[in-house]
Amino acid sequence: MSIEQQINELREELRQHNYNYYVLDAPTISDYEFDVKLKELQALEAKYPEYYDANSPTLRVGGQITKNFETIVHEHRMYSLDNSYSKEDLLDWETRIKKLVDGEVQYTCELKYDGASISLTYENGELIKAVTRGDGIQGDNVTNNIKTIKSVPLKLKGDYPPKFDIRGEIVLPHEGFIKMNEERIAAGEEPYANPRNTASGSLKLQDSAEVAKRPLECLLYNITGNNLGIETQFQSLEKARAWGFKVPEVSKLTNSIEEVLEFVNHWDVERHNLPYETDGVVIKVNNLQQQEELGFTSKAPRWAMAYKFKAEQVATRLNEITYQVGRTGAITPVANLVPVQLAGTVVKRASLHNADQIAKLDIREGDEVYVEKGGEIIPKIVGVNFTNRPEDSIPTVYASNCPECGAPLERKEGEAQHYCPNDNGCLPQIAGRIQHFISRKAMDIEGLGGETVTLLVKEGLIKSYADLYMLTKEEVIPLERMAEKSAENLINGIEKSKEIPFERVLFALGIRYVGETVAKKLVRHYKTIDALMAATEEDLVNVDEIGIKIAESVIEFFAVQEHQELISRLRVYGVQLEIGAEQLANQTDTLQGLTFVVSGVFHRVSRNELKKLIEDNGGKVSSSISSKTSYLVAGDKMGPSKLEKANKLGIELLTEDAFLTKIGL
Ligand SMILES: [Zn+2]
């Protein structure tokens, strides 16, 4: 078999596995086997770049940077839909339709997914571009980012037309959304408000590798184009499915508005069991010939109608407002409710966000309040039934002291949240920091869980994560529910954590805004904690992708004497506070102080490997050319505008070979 055949076969195989996993939800090989094949393809593509393919499955991992999203005019306008809210609205719509078309009318019913609309263009079975809805007439070119969404086919199967647009919705399933928020909270960052805004924000991220990490999905529902050989909407859904698109199975062909309403009523309840957020049903005249006769008004098609579900809302009594303290000291007010059934679950608590929100809605204990479950996971209070307010009702006075330690609360200028400043004497903050330290992505201490940490803190055995390394088996055994064996596991787990690499230790320290990725970047740059601690704010912001917010937070953290003491103790106990020898062996300072822009296709190494080589050798990678650029590493098919700019600024060009020679390869 020739190399080209081998590459093509691997691509085809990986495409099929992607399809099985992300579209059909029925994988036939393990993730590990998939990764092995992907790596094999990556290696072949790096070695034989002459077989480059812009739609290869290896491009799913992202890495392409888009600084400015190009505006593209939609070839076929993306209309919005008229909304309806009742049976009467739908019957009126049907009357209007029957005046304009002859014969029987059938309707397709599909769920309306709450996400970010997208239009994908395919030519000869390959994804050419992906454009956001924008204002319906023109949107942003987000192709690089969309390519990383695994359920978007990059190549189609079957008998597709030579050219068409397909529209759909980019959604973030509940499960993935919750996981992303857990990770943000772990990094001390504000959680995202709801899946829809997060999905839509993801499309405009500059680094497609970041998009690739997000569990986005693309659900398709409408094909547009000329001479497609399709006669009905229902048929178009079936065709799109056959070509490899993820088209929700929840769709139905109906013969009357009565049947439409049956579908609506069924899904108004059932939708809560779906993995995504939905906010209504889209009803379309099925026959495309009839659709054409009906045409469009100035803003919407006459042949389609959205039926909006009522936002799930119930009234219940607010018993008490309590306050929770997070790891960073942030205070969250919580509404404790008389339990009530809402959207398929029993709701007992709802978020009140902050003091402003309580004041704005004038929420008081004892009130009858309206609770709603919108796009958010945690239900929220949207209003108060003032007519039902008890006569002896008292306006809410926001907590002035920490509910856990009694310290007076503080509120920083411009921030909505109150904070407990007593970080060394406040149990949830102490326990929270240690819980973060031991968590799976940080020190991953086996045999120690969150509840045990709280117990250890309560019993006065530990006050900081450094204290963990002083614990003895004898101290731990007397704890509630602690047997000899589990005490031993706990101590062994702590001992083993001394091998955890520095980048994870740095994440574990719990510096605000220093998540996993930032920790990695800082470690690659500074290599030791001493170097990082000695860095000035100016040094820090000069590190690639480190902004002022992170820089300030790092400086602030290391300026605190207790933190310096913690680090000294961790060092004494043998925790890794510098980069490992093996990792370091691949790193030099050859390119120290130099900034590179990488463009085009390379032969001996992939573009990502090239970037890693620059960073490993002390250089900085930038995505755009400026007067600060030292070299432009130019591969094949480099963009002409980059070359022009480099020439204008007098920036030296390096070929791939010249670059590799420079670092001794
Ligand atoms: Zn406190």
Side-chain angles (χ1 to χ4, degrees):
M1 186 164 42
S2 75
I3 294 294
E4 186 176 10
Q5 273 174 324
Q6 205 181 331
I7 289 178
N8 284 335
E9 273 189 21
L10 263 174
R11 283 177 182 158
E12 200 39 60
E13 204 183 331
L14 286 166
R15 243 174 239 132
Q16 185 62 38
H17 287 308
N18 247 324
Y19 175 76
N20 293 345
Y21 189 105
Y22 293 100
V23 179
L24 300 183
D25 229 350
T28 53
I29 59 167
S30 70
D31 291 357
Y32 174 75
E33 287 169 293
F34 183 87
D35 280 344
V36 169
K37 285 184 194 293
L38 188 70
K39 291 224 172 75
E40 193 183 333
L41 177 59
Q42 272 170 331
L44 282 172
E45 286 182 348
K47 205 167 161 198
Y48 302 99
E50 56 268 42
Y51 305 122
Y52 176 81
D53 178 352
N55 281 328
S56 166
T58 51
L59 295 166
R60 296 283 196 190
V61 292
Q64 293 81 3
I65 305 283
T66 314
K67 273 282 169 193
N68 293 302
F69 292 94
E70 173 198 8
T71 303
I72 290 191
V73 176
H74 293 294
E75 201 170 316
H76 306 274
R77 184 173 158 183
M78 284 180 90
Y79 285 90
S80 51
L81 297 183
D82 283 332
N83 288 324
S84 59
Y85 301 89
S86 66
K87 182 179 176 184
E88 287 67 40
D89 289 349
L90 288 179
L91 290 172
D92 285 350
W93 176 55
E94 185 175 48
T95 311
R96 292 200 297 277
I97 289 172
K98 295 258 162 113
K99 275 186 196 154
L100 293 168
V101 295
D102 296 325
E104 291 297 306
V105 179
Q106 283 189 311
Y107 305 95
T108 52
C109 297
E110 295 160 59
L111 286 179
K112 191 168 178 296
Y113 297 91
D114 207 8
S117 301
I118 193 80
S119 178
L120 310 176
T121 303
Y122 285 83
E123 276 180 37
N124 302 318
E126 299 209 21
L127 176 65
I128 297 300
K129 63 177 184 238
V131 183
T132 62
R133 182 176 183 284
D135 61 3
I137 298 183
Q138 54 183 37
D140 294 321
N141 183 350
V142 291
T143 313
N144 285 340
N145 287 345
I146 293 297
K147 279 188 181 176
T148 68
I149 300 174
K150 318 286 187 299
S151 51
V152 173
L154 302 180
K155 274 189 204 280
L156 304 180
K157 331 135 119 354
D159 63 334
Y160 45 80
K163 180 171 191 252
F164 66 95
D165 286 356
I166 185 162
R167 270 85 192 258
E169 209 75 4
I170 306 292
V171 297
L172 192 53
H174 291 310
E175 203 186 316
F177 178 70
I178 292 169
K179 202 165 148 262
M180 276 174 71
N181 267 348
E182 282 170 356
E183 284 166 11
R184 281 183 77 84
I185 291 165
E189 292 173 72
E190 284 284 309
Y192 292 115
N194 63 54
R196 185 195 46 232
N197 293 356
T198 314
S200 124
S202 304
L203 299 189
K204 298 291 287 288
L205 290 175
Q206 293 189 338
D207 184 356
S208 64
E210 287 301 313
V211 186
K213 286 185 204 151
R214 300 191 170 186
L216 298 163
E217 286 196 25
C218 181
L219 308 175
L220 282 317
Y221 49 71
N222 189 42
I223 302 174
T224 336
N226 304 319
N227 308 320
L228 299 175
I230 298 171
E231 283 165 12
T232 69
Q233 166 65 11
F234 203 72
Q235 188 195 8
S236 78
L237 296 178
E238 286 172 335
K239 290 232 173 188
R241 238 174 245 135
W243 299 337
F245 292 103
K246 184 152 189 164
V247 177
E249 294 291 338
V250 178
S251 55
K252 197 181 172 198
L253 190 55
T254 61
N255 293 304
S256 68
I257 293 295
E258 293 301 326
E259 280 182 38
V260 168
L261 283 164
E262 274 174 35
F263 182 90
V264 167
N265 293 335
H266 174 76
W267 285 103
D268 198 358
V269 180
E270 275 304 306
R271 67 193 173 111
H272 300 298
N273 298 322
L274 292 172
Y276 327 98
E277 202 64 49
T278 54
D279 61 357
V281 171
V282 175
I283 306 132
K284 289 176 187 159
V285 168
N286 187 41
N287 187 313
L288 299 193
Q289 183 61 45
Q290 288 179 332
Q291 283 191 7
E292 212 168 295
E293 284 170 43
L294 287 161
F296 299 82
T297 66
S298 61
K299 48 185 218 332
R302 290 195 185 87
W303 43 264
M305 182 61 85
Y307 184 98
K308 300 284 260 190
F309 292 130
K310 280 184 202 67
E312 287 274 317
Q313 196 184 78
V314 284
T316 188
R317 189 70 61 184
L318 168 61
N319 281 335
E320 194 192 6
I321 298 172
T322 54
Y323 300 87
Q324 271 181 353
V325 188
R327 156 167 81 86
T328 57
I331 306 291
T332 313
V334 178
N336 295 271
L337 307 164
V338 172
V340 63
Q341 191 80 25
L342 173 66
T345 53
V346 176
V347 174
K348 294 180 202 142
R349 288 146 68 84
S351 170
L352 288 168
H353 301 288
N354 53 51
D356 293 343
Q357 182 74 5
I358 295 175
K360 198 175 99 193
L361 297 174
D362 185 19
I363 298 169
R364 303 179 185 185
E365 288 181 348
D367 272 343
E368 185 178 30
V369 292
Y370 298 112
V371 184
E372 206 171 82
K373 212 168 180 180
E376 290 80 10
I377 301 300
I378 305 160
K380 61 176 179 187
I381 292 183
V382 292
V384 173
N385 182 359
F386 293 107
T387 57
N388 241 343
R389 172 167 278 175
E391 280 184 15
D392 57 353
S393 156
I394 309 163
T396 299
V397 179
Y398 199 80
S400 55
N401 292 77
C402 175
E404 298 281 342
C405 72
L409 297 182
E410 286 175 5
R411 190 180 190 176
K412 276 190 205 154
E413 182 88 21
E415 284 196 18
Q417 224 72 22
H418 282 73
Y419 282 86
C420 166
N422 183 18
D423 38 341
N424 290 319
C426 187
L427 179 77
Q429 292 190 57
I430 299 169
R433 283 194 298 269
I434 303 171
Q435 280 157 357
H436 169 71
F437 185 82
I438 66 163
S439 62
R440 199 170 47 82
K441 289 186 169 168
M443 303 302 279
D444 192 18
I445 297 186
E446 271 173 52
L448 182 56
E451 281 176 35
T452 310
V453 167
T454 306
L455 205 58
L456 287 166
V457 176
K458 268 191 183 155
E459 294 291 321
L461 288 167
I462 54 172
K463 285 203 214 51
S464 70
Y465 38 68
D467 292 341
L468 288 171
Y469 296 93
M470 297 283 285
L471 277 177
T472 62
K473 201 171 97 182
E474 290 67 34
E475 282 177 316
V476 177
I477 287 177
L479 287 181
E480 216 177 305
R481 286 192 304 257
M482 186 63 73
E484 168 133 9
K485 185 72 198 155
S486 39
E488 212 170 281
N489 287 342
L490 192 160
I491 301 295
N492 287 342
I494 293 171
E495 186 58 31
K496 231 175 93 190
S497 76
K498 292 178 184 171
E499 291 158 24
I500 296 288
F502 177 36
E503 55 190 38
R504 280 170 60 188
V505 177
L506 184 61
F507 169 62
L509 295 180
I511 305 170
R512 202 172 175 198
Y513 306 126
V514 178
E516 279 177 277
T517 319
V518 172
K520 269 188 202 147
K521 292 208 164 105
L522 289 173
V523 168
R524 174 173 290 170
H525 188 87
Y526 288 101
K527 303 186 176 62
T528 72
I529 196 133
D530 294 323
L532 177 61
M533 287 171 82
T536 64
E537 195 172 299
E538 206 190 341
D539 297 335
L540 283 161
V541 291
N542 275 327
V543 180
D544 205 23
E545 288 176 65
I546 302 296
I548 185 76
K549 203 172 71 169
I550 299 169
E552 278 175 0
S553 174
V554 170
I555 296 281
E556 222 173 274
F557 183 88
F558 290 120
V560 176
Q561 207 196 331
E562 284 109 47
H563 294 158
Q564 294 170 8
E565 282 164 18
L566 281 177
I567 309 272
S568 309
R569 289 179 57 199
L570 291 178
R571 192 193 308 268
V572 172
Y573 302 140
V575 171
Q576 302 298 316
L577 294 174
E578 49 189 68
I579 200 163
E582 196 186 327
Q583 211 177 343
L584 195 61
N586 295 322
Q587 301 194 349
T588 75
D589 290 331
T590 318
L591 306 177
Q592 191 75 43
L594 299 176
T595 301
F596 293 80
V597 171
V598 176
S599 180
V601 180
F602 299 92
H603 299 252
R604 286 168 59 190
V605 292
S606 76
R607 191 140 76 151
N608 281 335
E609 281 164 344
L610 196 75
K611 287 182 182 173
K612 193 171 176 300
L613 284 171
I614 294 170
E615 284 170 344
D616 283 348
N617 288 286
K620 191 176 152 186
V621 181
S622 169
S623 50
S624 62
I625 296 176
S626 72
S627 54
K628 286 184 194 152
T629 309
S630 322
Y631 293 99
L632 172 62
V633 187
D636 291 351
K637 299 179 190 158
M638 186 181 61
S641 62
K642 273 210 170 114
L643 188 60
E644 198 183 314
K645 198 161 178 199
N647 285 334
K648 215 160 109 189
L649 293 169
I651 288 155
E652 195 178 325
L653 259 63
L654 281 182
T655 62
E656 180 181 8
D657 286 338
F659 169 78
L660 293 172
T661 310
K662 208 174 173 59
I663 55 168
L665 286 177

